[in-house]
């Protein structure tokens, strides 16, 4: 297992280096250059030349790239032009909110999607199967931001069951320990704050989970149907093995392999969906901050966000490989 993890980590180094080259070239090919992006479109040539000298953009390209890589390893992503604060500090401040929302959304998608897809396959052609397939198709077709607006308008504005914005209500005096609102409430014994944070999570998590849930349902159903037709399943049933053993060890375990891959890719894509979802609910995470950064042309923040997404995908792919090897030991030898 350790050799597998080490091998996968070594294979990821060229990927990250390639991404760093693309990012560097993008920064240096911005319209008017990074200086014009910082100063604005009406900047004079003298002001642009001054910023280029200050940033070292008048030096050879390989020198600039070396400095760029060094800053990344030092977690120096520059300063946000919106807030005037270091980009890394802005990310660490907002990172817990996005992670909390992403974990809640993926938990909903997995807990509901895998059982629903499995039972839909076991009862192929029944009302449950038809409902699951139709519902998953609707979930894929509805844009995340539109579903978020529908949920907010119905359950928050009209019915008043859930809060409509933020992570905590204004009257809640919560102690921040880790930045994760639900976890902080549990650690400090402020259960009212933890429950309030959960209530604020429900609507945005459901909206963000809609597409992953639909994909997981369809993937699980198709994978289970394929495994049910395998010879080893029919052999196990003909030997008189307990149905629960056949379903858990022979059917579900083998059917989960492609589903794990889908879960890994969908987890990374949640970050892009979080941009719109957090904006609708004013959730205060990285997603809403990125939206304002795009409007303000805050390029240091955008570079940091791209690197963050790449790192998340890298780690998720590593976890997927480890999960694969745990479910199917044959993977470890490849």
């Amino acid at each position: 297992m350790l050799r597998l993890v080490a091998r996968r980590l070594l294979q990821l180094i060229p990927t990250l280096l390639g991404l760093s080259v693309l990012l560097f070239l993008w920064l240096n090919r911005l319209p008017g250059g990074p200086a014009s992006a910082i100063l604005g479109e009406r900047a004079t040539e003298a002001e642009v030349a001054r910023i280029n000298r200050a940033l070292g953009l008048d030096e050879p390209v390989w020198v600039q790239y070396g400095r760029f890589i060094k800053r990344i390893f030092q977690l120096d992503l520059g300063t946000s032009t919106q807030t005037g604060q270091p980009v890394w500090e802005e990310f660490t401040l907002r990172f817990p909110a996005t992670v909390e929302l992403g974990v809640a959304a993926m938990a909903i998608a997995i807990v509901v999607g895998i059982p629903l897809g499995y039972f839909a396959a076991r009862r192929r052609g029944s009302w449950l199967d038809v409902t699951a397939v139709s519902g998953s198709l609707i979930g894929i077709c509805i844009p995340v931001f539109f579903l978020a607006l529908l949920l907010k308008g119905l359950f928050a504005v009209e019915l008043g069951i859930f809060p409509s914005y933020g992570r905590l209500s204004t009257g809640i005096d919560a102690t921040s320990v880790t930045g994760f609102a639900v976890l902080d409430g549990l650690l400090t014994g402020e259960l009212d704050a933890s429950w309030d944070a959960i209530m604020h999570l429900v609507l945005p998590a459901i909206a963000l989970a809609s597409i992953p849930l639909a994909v997981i349902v369809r993937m699980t159903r198709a994978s289970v149907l394929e495994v049910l037709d395998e010879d080893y399943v029919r052999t196990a049933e003909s030997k008189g093995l307990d149905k629960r053993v056949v379903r858990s060890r022979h059917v579900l375990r083998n059917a989960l392999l492609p589903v794990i891959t889908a879960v890994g890719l969908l987890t990374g894509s949640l970050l892009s969906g979080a941009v719109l979802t957090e904006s609708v609910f004013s959730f205060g995470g990285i997603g809403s901050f990125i939206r304002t950064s795009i409007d303000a042309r805050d390029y240091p923040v955008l570079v940091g966000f791209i690197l963050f997404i790449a790192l998340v995908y890298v780690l998720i792919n590593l976890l997927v490989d480890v999960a694969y090897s745990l479910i199917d030991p044959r993977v470890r030898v490849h």
Side-chain angles (χ1 to χ4, degrees), residues 59-84:
E59 298 180 359
V61 175
W62 57 86
V63 176
Q64 297 179 43
Y65 178 72
R67 187 184 301 110
F68 177 71
I69 292 294
K70 181 180 178 181
R71 287 173 49 201
I72 290 177
F73 278 104
Q74 293 175 344
L75 299 181
D76 180 11
L77 303 177
T79 302
S80 170
T81 58
Q82 299 177 83
T83 64

Short mmCIF file of all heavy atoms in Angstrom, two decimals, residues 59-84:
data_model
loop_
_atom_site.label_atom_id
_atom_site.label_comp_id
_atom_site.label_asym_id
_atom_site.label_seq_id
_atom_site.Cartn_x
_atom_site.Cartn_y
_atom_site.Cartn_z
N GLU A 59 12.70 40.96 -16.41
CA GLU A 59 13.81 40.00 -16.38
C GLU A 59 13.53 38.84 -17.34
O GLU A 59 12.40 38.70 -17.84
CB GLU A 59 14.01 39.47 -14.96
CG GLU A 59 14.39 40.56 -13.95
CD GLU A 59 14.57 40.00 -12.55
OE1 GLU A 59 14.38 38.77 -12.39
OE2 GLU A 59 14.90 40.77 -11.64
N PRO A 60 14.53 37.99 -17.62
CA PRO A 60 14.31 36.85 -18.53
C PRO A 60 13.19 35.94 -18.02
O PRO A 60 12.92 35.85 -16.82
CB PRO A 60 15.66 36.12 -18.51
CG PRO A 60 16.65 37.18 -18.17
CD PRO A 60 15.94 38.12 -17.23
N VAL A 61 12.57 35.24 -18.97
CA VAL A 61 11.39 34.42 -18.65
C VAL A 61 11.73 33.32 -17.65
O VAL A 61 10.96 33.06 -16.71
CB VAL A 61 10.80 33.81 -19.94
CG1 VAL A 61 9.66 32.86 -19.60
CG2 VAL A 61 10.31 34.90 -20.87
N TRP A 62 12.89 32.65 -17.83
CA TRP A 62 13.22 31.55 -16.93
C TRP A 62 13.47 32.04 -15.50
O TRP A 62 13.21 31.33 -14.53
CB TRP A 62 14.44 30.78 -17.46
CG TRP A 62 15.68 31.61 -17.67
CD1 TRP A 62 16.63 31.91 -16.75
CD2 TRP A 62 16.07 32.27 -18.88
NE1 TRP A 62 17.60 32.69 -17.30
CE2 TRP A 62 17.28 32.93 -18.62
CE3 TRP A 62 15.53 32.33 -20.17
CZ2 TRP A 62 17.96 33.67 -19.59
CZ3 TRP A 62 16.19 33.05 -21.12
CH2 TRP A 62 17.40 33.71 -20.84
N VAL A 63 13.97 33.28 -15.36
CA VAL A 63 14.15 33.86 -14.04
C VAL A 63 12.79 34.12 -13.39
O VAL A 63 12.58 33.85 -12.19
CB VAL A 63 14.98 35.15 -14.11
CG1 VAL A 63 15.09 35.80 -12.73
CG2 VAL A 63 16.37 34.85 -14.67
N GLN A 64 11.86 34.65 -14.17
CA GLN A 64 10.51 34.91 -13.65
C GLN A 64 9.83 33.60 -13.24
O GLN A 64 9.16 33.55 -12.20
CB GLN A 64 9.68 35.62 -14.72
CG GLN A 64 10.19 36.99 -15.11
CD GLN A 64 9.32 37.61 -16.17
OE1 GLN A 64 8.09 37.55 -16.10
NE2 GLN A 64 9.94 38.23 -17.18
N TYR A 65 9.99 32.55 -14.05
CA TYR A 65 9.35 31.27 -13.72
C TYR A 65 9.95 30.67 -12.45
O TYR A 65 9.21 30.13 -11.61
CB TYR A 65 9.51 30.29 -14.89
CG TYR A 65 8.92 28.94 -14.60
CD1 TYR A 65 7.55 28.75 -14.55
CD2 TYR A 65 9.74 27.84 -14.38
CE1 TYR A 65 7.00 27.51 -14.28
CE2 TYR A 65 9.21 26.59 -14.12
CZ TYR A 65 7.83 26.43 -14.07
OH TYR A 65 7.30 25.20 -13.78
N GLY A 66 11.27 30.77 -12.31
CA GLY A 66 11.89 30.27 -11.08
C GLY A 66 11.37 30.99 -9.85
O GLY A 66 11.11 30.37 -8.81
N ARG A 67 11.20 32.31 -9.96
CA ARG A 67 10.66 33.07 -8.84
C ARG A 67 9.20 32.68 -8.57
O ARG A 67 8.77 32.61 -7.41
CB ARG A 67 10.76 34.57 -9.14
CG ARG A 67 10.37 35.44 -7.95
CD ARG A 67 10.38 36.92 -8.29
NE ARG A 67 11.69 37.36 -8.73
CZ ARG A 67 11.97 37.70 -9.98
NH1 ARG A 67 11.03 37.64 -10.92
NH2 ARG A 67 13.17 38.11 -10.30
N PHE A 68 8.46 32.42 -9.65
CA PHE A 68 7.06 32.01 -9.51
C PHE A 68 6.94 30.69 -8.76
O PHE A 68 6.12 30.55 -7.84
CB PHE A 68 6.45 31.90 -10.91
CG PHE A 68 5.03 31.43 -10.94
CD1 PHE A 68 4.00 32.25 -10.51
CD2 PHE A 68 4.71 30.17 -11.42
CE1 PHE A 68 2.69 31.82 -10.55
CE2 PHE A 68 3.41 29.72 -11.46
CZ PHE A 68 2.39 30.56 -11.02
N ILE A 69 7.78 29.71 -9.12
CA ILE A 69 7.76 28.41 -8.44
C ILE A 69 8.17 28.57 -6.97
O ILE A 69 7.59 27.96 -6.06
CB ILE A 69 8.69 27.42 -9.15
CG1 ILE A 69 8.13 27.05 -10.52
CG2 ILE A 69 8.89 26.16 -8.32
CD1 ILE A 69 6.84 26.29 -10.46
N LYS A 70 9.18 29.38 -6.72
CA LYS A 70 9.65 29.59 -5.35
C LYS A 70 8.55 30.18 -4.48
O LYS A 70 8.35 29.76 -3.33
CB LYS A 70 10.87 30.49 -5.36
CG LYS A 70 11.46 30.74 -3.98
CD LYS A 70 12.68 31.65 -4.06
CE LYS A 70 13.24 31.93 -2.67
NZ LYS A 70 14.43 32.84 -2.74
N ARG A 71 7.80 31.13 -5.02
CA ARG A 71 6.71 31.75 -4.25
C ARG A 71 5.61 30.74 -3.96
O ARG A 71 5.00 30.76 -2.89
CB ARG A 71 6.15 32.93 -5.03
CG ARG A 71 7.07 34.16 -5.04
CD ARG A 71 6.53 35.21 -5.97
NE ARG A 71 5.12 35.48 -5.72
CZ ARG A 71 4.29 36.03 -6.59
NH1 ARG A 71 4.73 36.32 -7.82
NH2 ARG A 71 3.04 36.27 -6.27
N ILE A 72 5.35 29.85 -4.92
CA ILE A 72 4.31 28.84 -4.69
C ILE A 72 4.70 27.92 -3.55
O ILE A 72 3.88 27.62 -2.66
CB ILE A 72 4.05 28.04 -5.99
CG1 ILE A 72 3.37 28.92 -7.04
CG2 ILE A 72 3.20 26.81 -5.69
CD1 ILE A 72 3.15 28.22 -8.36
N PHE A 73 5.95 27.47 -3.53
CA PHE A 73 6.41 26.60 -2.45
C PHE A 73 6.42 27.32 -1.11
O PHE A 73 6.28 26.68 -0.06
CB PHE A 73 7.80 26.04 -2.77
CG PHE A 73 7.80 24.86 -3.68
CD1 PHE A 73 8.16 24.99 -5.02
CD2 PHE A 73 7.41 23.62 -3.22
CE1 PHE A 73 8.14 23.89 -5.87
CE2 PHE A 73 7.39 22.52 -4.06
CZ PHE A 73 7.76 22.66 -5.38
N GLN A 74 6.57 28.62 -1.12
CA GLN A 74 6.54 29.41 0.11
C GLN A 74 5.13 29.84 0.48
O GLN A 74 4.94 30.59 1.44
CB GLN A 74 7.42 30.64 -0.05
CG GLN A 74 8.90 30.33 -0.17
CD GLN A 74 9.75 31.57 -0.44
OE1 GLN A 74 9.23 32.62 -0.83
NE2 GLN A 74 11.05 31.45 -0.24
N LEU A 75 4.12 29.37 -0.30
CA LEU A 75 2.71 29.74 -0.09
C LEU A 75 2.51 31.24 -0.20
O LEU A 75 1.62 31.81 0.44
CB LEU A 75 2.21 29.23 1.27
CG LEU A 75 2.26 27.71 1.49
CD1 LEU A 75 1.73 27.35 2.86
CD2 LEU A 75 1.48 26.99 0.40
N ASP A 76 3.34 31.88 -1.01
CA ASP A 76 3.21 33.31 -1.26
C ASP A 76 2.51 33.49 -2.61
O ASP A 76 3.15 33.48 -3.67
CB ASP A 76 4.59 33.98 -1.28
CG ASP A 76 4.51 35.48 -1.54
OD1 ASP A 76 3.39 36.02 -1.50
OD2 ASP A 76 5.56 36.09 -1.80
N LEU A 77 1.20 33.65 -2.57
CA LEU A 77 0.40 33.77 -3.79
C LEU A 77 0.11 35.20 -4.16
O LEU A 77 -0.72 35.47 -5.04
CB LEU A 77 -0.91 32.98 -3.62
CG LEU A 77 -0.77 31.50 -3.29
CD1 LEU A 77 -2.12 30.86 -3.08
CD2 LEU A 77 0.00 30.77 -4.40
N GLY A 78 0.76 36.13 -3.48
CA GLY A 78 0.54 37.53 -3.78
C GLY A 78 -0.51 38.14 -2.87
O GLY A 78 -0.95 37.55 -1.88
N THR A 79 -0.92 39.36 -3.23
CA THR A 79 -1.88 40.12 -2.44
C THR A 79 -3.13 40.38 -3.24
O THR A 79 -3.06 40.72 -4.43
CB THR A 79 -1.27 41.46 -2.00
OG1 THR A 79 -0.08 41.22 -1.26
CG2 THR A 79 -2.25 42.24 -1.12
N SER A 80 -4.29 40.19 -2.63
CA SER A 80 -5.56 40.43 -3.29
C SER A 80 -5.73 41.92 -3.57
O SER A 80 -5.55 42.75 -2.66
CB SER A 80 -6.72 39.91 -2.44
OG SER A 80 -7.96 40.33 -2.96
N THR A 81 -6.09 42.25 -4.79
CA THR A 81 -6.32 43.66 -5.12
C THR A 81 -7.66 44.16 -4.57
O THR A 81 -7.88 45.37 -4.53
CB THR A 81 -6.31 43.84 -6.65
OG1 THR A 81 -7.32 43.00 -7.24
CG2 THR A 81 -4.95 43.47 -7.22
N GLN A 82 -8.52 43.24 -4.13
CA GLN A 82 -9.80 43.65 -3.55
C GLN A 82 -9.67 44.05 -2.10
O GLN A 82 -10.14 45.11 -1.67
CB GLN A 82 -10.82 42.50 -3.63
CG GLN A 82 -11.15 42.02 -5.01
CD GLN A 82 -12.11 40.86 -4.95
OE1 GLN A 82 -13.32 41.02 -4.82
NE2 GLN A 82 -11.57 39.65 -5.03
N THR A 83 -9.01 43.18 -1.33
CA THR A 83 -8.96 43.36 0.12
C THR A 83 -7.63 43.90 0.61
O THR A 83 -7.54 44.37 1.75
CB THR A 83 -9.25 42.03 0.82
OG1 THR A 83 -8.22 41.08 0.49
CG2 THR A 83 -10.60 41.47 0.38
N GLY A 84 -6.58 43.78 -0.21
CA GLY A 84 -5.25 44.20 0.24
C GLY A 84 -4.59 43.22 1.18
O GLY A 84 -3.54 43.53 1.75
#
